[in-house]
Amino acid sequence: MVVELFVNQNQITKLQIKIYQLLQNMKKRKFPSAQTILLVIAALVALLTWVIPSGKYDSLTYNKLDNTFIILSKGKTTLIPGSQKSLDQLNIKIPLKNFTNGAIYKPISIPNTYEKVAANPQGFFEFVQSPIKGIIEASDVIFLVLFIGGLIGIMNLTGAFDAGIIWMSSVLKGREYILIILTTTLVALGGTTFGFAEETLAFIPILIPVFIAAKYDAMVGIACVFLGSSVGSMCSTTNPFAAIIASDAAGINWTTGLYGRVMMFCVCTTISILYILRYAKRVKNDAANSIIFDQKVEMEKLFGGVSETKNIKFNNKLRIIIFLFTASFIIMVIGVSLLDWWFTEMASVFLVGALLIGIVAKINESDFVNAFSKGAGELLGVAFIIGIARGVSILMKDGCISDTVLYNTSAITEGMNKGVFVNALFFIYNGLSFFIPSSSGMAVLSMPIMSPLADTVGIGREIIVNTYMYGMGIFGIINPTGLILATLGIAKIGFDKWLKFIWPLVIILTLISMAFLTISVY
């Protein structure tokens, strides 16, 4: 009996050890990287192309050279006169001037033309090729990111960052919260006015060291920049890539509904700032409250690395370098908002900025090349994330399932009550933005199909525009096919950590958006 009891106890002890080891192994397992998450999504999308029926709308493109419309239907093109009569005959309720003045420059879907087409399921080889195709298609964004990394590499070599952070820490001592308010507000203003989105990637590696030096964590820096951009774009006022292009595609003036969007911008930006301040205060009071506390040493090594006891004099040469660095971003913002610049011009600004800084700092040629290459190399992982995300969109486009999803979701809302309709459409845009993460792409594809639904329900078409922006904007905060994974990749923060940090705010902003949309239809 005693022997049997001893054997049983021994087995229980072994079982306890095995359970303990299993739990320890589970703790050691990390959430998949951004690249892995996107590859899994790409594989699922490829599988969906075998399940979801293929279909396409006929598309309409304006040709400015000979003032004609080009209709693409079942692979065949037809030319018709570029007139308002042509638009009316196609049941496209959009003024002709929106095409002739360049407001609508992408192909738009023609209502009531959806047809099933021959299936084009994406197999293993298409799946494997999708990241490569995505990197090629997103090369403009990728090169911008790499040139930003090169500029930061040169800045790190000069020591100007360290000196500037120490100086800023002493100036803001006890008032570091001002940095959170200013950063989030300025980025949000950029988002609402001219669509500050991909450009914000440039600010992440610059601002995180500042927030770490202020006794916050990298999550605060990510939140200020990414949330500011997301909320600003969500409540777009003069953003040409969202409010203006969507209004044009809906056939209304972009100022219609502007005051409501301004109010939503103020409310949502204020709530976002308060949310970040609350979290930042908890982290400052006790670093263990940080969601990324387990990465504290890694983050300080990657971004912090600056001690106020360091003997770095913020001399005139370093001031000139900081000025040149800051001027690069100011020139970029001016160029994008006023001069119609895009990624080639933006990348060129950062290259010139790096060269000028190298001259002022008297960096020799080989050191300059090595520092620039090293800085660009550190953001190569982010470049791959951008490319793989674009590859997901390519799989959907080549598999001809995007229009099918759009057609079926538009049919769901037929015959609904106003309040139910607008909230259902809000969640539909949440889902659609996973498949079409581009705000301008979503506008030109969906507005000709969705905006006429407003007429049947008896509401203004500006409500559809607002629903599109709020639906895309809310989901954009957590959309893995959007910019969030690339943003987190710069700081090496897991997607699971971001979800843990952001989900209460997403719920709050969702409820506010639903309340605003419901009130606006009555």
Side-chain angles (χ1 to χ4, degrees):
M1 185 76 178
V2 175
V3 173
E4 186 181 342
L5 183 62
F6 175 77
V7 171
N8 287 339
Q9 272 191 321
N10 193 33
Q11 287 175 337
I12 291 169
T13 304
K14 285 180 179 179
L15 181 62
Q16 287 175 331
I17 291 170
K18 284 182 179 179
I19 292 171
Y20 175 77
Q21 289 173 340
L22 180 63
L23 289 172
Q24 289 299 109
N25 289 333
M26 288 176 66
K27 285 181 181 179
K28 288 178 183 178
R29 287 176 187 168
K30 290 186 176 180
F31 195 78
S33 65
Q35 290 90 339
T36 302
I37 292 170
L38 284 171
L39 285 173
V40 170
I41 290 172
L44 291 173
V45 167
L47 289 174
L48 285 176
T49 63
W50 292 81
V51 178
I52 298 175
S54 298
K56 285 191 77 68
Y57 283 98
D58 293 349
S59 67
L60 183 79
T61 309
Y62 179 70
N63 186 354
K64 189 180 287 187
L65 296 175
D66 57 5
N67 189 34
T68 58
F69 285 118
I70 303 170
I71 297 176
L72 179 62
S73 176
K74 300 176 184 176
K76 297 179 180 178
T77 58
T78 306
L79 296 180
I80 62 173
S83 64
Q84 187 62 51
K85 183 180 178 181
S86 296
L87 292 173
D88 294 339
Q89 288 174 343
L90 293 170
N91 200 29
I92 297 175
K93 309 297 184 183
I94 301 175
L96 178 64
K97 66 178 182 180
N98 291 344
F99 293 91
T100 56
N101 64 14
I104 298 176
Y105 56 92
K106 292 183 178 181
I108 69 165
S109 300
I110 301 175
N112 305 317
T113 61
Y114 175 82
E115 284 188 0
K116 290 183 178 180
V117 298
N120 187 30
Q122 303 295 286
F124 175 75
F125 289 109
E126 287 82 6
F127 163 68
V128 172
Q129 291 171 10
S130 66
I132 314 301
K133 291 180 180 178
I135 289 169
I136 293 169
E137 192 172 293
S139 59
D140 48 4
V141 186
I142 289 171
F143 277 112
L144 172 66
V145 170
L146 295 180
F147 275 83
I148 290 166
L151 173 60
I152 292 168
I154 298 299
M155 285 294 293
N156 287 333
L157 185 64
T158 65
F161 269 155
D162 290 354
I165 290 168
I166 290 171
W167 173 80
M168 187 173 286
S169 297
S170 63
V171 170
L172 291 176
K173 203 169 185 72
R175 296 173 297 172
E176 292 86 358
Y177 63 88
I178 294 174
L179 188 63
I180 294 174
I181 297 170
L182 283 177
T183 301
T184 310
T185 302
L186 289 173
V187 176
L189 285 169
T192 191
T193 53
F194 62 88
F196 212 31
E198 289 91 346
E199 303 90 339
T200 59
L201 293 172
F203 295 92
I204 301 294
I206 304 157
L207 289 172
I208 285 179
V210 179
F211 285 106
I212 289 176
K215 309 302 181 190
Y216 298 131
D217 64 6
M219 188 68 82
V220 174
I222 292 282
C224 288
V225 177
F226 183 76
L227 261 184
S229 168
S230 298
V231 171
S233 298
M234 166 186 156
C235 306
S236 293
T237 50
T238 62
N239 178 359
F241 306 107
I244 293 179
I245 195 169
S247 298
D248 286 335
I252 60 174
N253 192 299
W254 67 270
T255 57
T256 307
L258 178 62
Y259 295 121
R261 291 195 287 270
V262 170
M263 184 180 74
M264 275 289 284
F265 171 78
C266 294
V267 170
C268 293
T269 303
T270 301
I271 288 172
S272 298
I273 290 172
L274 291 173
Y275 186 84
I276 299 169
L277 285 171
R278 179 175 174 271
Y279 171 80
K281 185 178 179 181
R282 288 174 55 221
V283 171
K284 190 159 191 172
N285 290 340
D286 184 357
N289 289 324
S290 170
I291 288 174
I292 52 173
F293 181 68
D294 59 326
Q295 294 179 262
K296 188 174 187 298
V297 176
E298 178 191 347
M299 289 294 172
E300 288 178 352
K301 185 179 178 182
L302 187 63
F303 294 109
V306 177
S307 169
E308 294 184 23
T309 59
K310 273 192 177 182
N311 186 22
I312 303 176
K313 188 178 180 182
F314 196 35
N315 54 34
N316 288 332
K317 184 172 80 171
L318 294 181
R319 286 190 180 95
I320 293 170
I321 289 171
I322 290 288
F323 170 77
L324 290 171
F325 180 77
T326 307
S328 298
F329 290 88
I330 294 172
I331 292 169
M332 177 196 75
V333 171
I334 293 170
V336 171
S337 56
L338 301 178
L339 304 175
D340 238 4
W341 283 7
W342 206 227
F343 292 107
T344 301
E345 292 85 356
M346 287 190 284
S348 300
V349 167
F350 293 123
L351 175 60
V352 172
L355 291 170
L356 290 175
I357 290 168
I359 292 168
V360 171
K362 297 179 180 178
I363 302 171
N364 67 53
E365 182 265 344
S366 61
D367 289 343
F368 180 93
V369 171
N370 289 335
F372 193 91
S373 301
K374 183 182 177 184
E378 287 179 354
L379 292 186
L380 195 58
V382 178
F384 283 127
I385 292 170
I386 295 168
I388 298 169
R390 186 68 62 89
V392 175
S393 299
I394 290 172
L395 283 171
M396 286 185 286
K397 182 179 71 175
D398 292 349
C400 300
I401 63 171
S402 298
D403 282 6
T404 301
V405 172
L406 181 60
Y407 170 75
N408 285 288
T409 51
S410 65
I412 292 171
T413 57
E414 288 183 10
M416 283 185 176
N417 166 274
K418 291 180 184 179
V420 177
F421 166 80
V422 77
N423 283 291
L425 194 58
F426 168 77
F427 284 107
I428 284 172
Y429 269 116
N430 270 254
L432 282 175
S433 61
F434 173 83
F435 295 97
I436 312 168
S438 164
S439 59
S440 58
M442 177 71 83
V444 296
L445 282 173
S446 70
M447 278 301 137
I449 309 301
M450 298 297 194
S451 59
L453 297 177
D455 306 334
T456 61
V457 179
I459 60 176
R461 291 192 174 194
E462 73 279 3
I463 305 298
I464 306 294
V465 173
N466 290 345
T467 305
Y468 137 79
M469 290 197 301
Y470 302 151
M472 278 206 76
I474 292 288
F475 190 70
I477 296 173
I478 57 171
N479 186 3
T481 61
L483 276 178
I484 182 57
L485 292 184
T487 304
L488 294 172
I490 295 174
K492 294 181 172 55
I493 294 175
F495 188 45
D496 57 326
K497 303 282 181 69
W498 174 253
L499 292 177
K500 184 178 179 181
F501 165 76
I502 205 67
W503 73 263
L505 181 62
V506 169
I507 292 173
I508 292 168
L509 294 178
T510 297
L511 293 174
I512 290 171
S513 299
M514 290 174 68
F516 176 81
L517 289 170
T518 303
I519 292 168
S520 66
V521 298
Y522 290 110

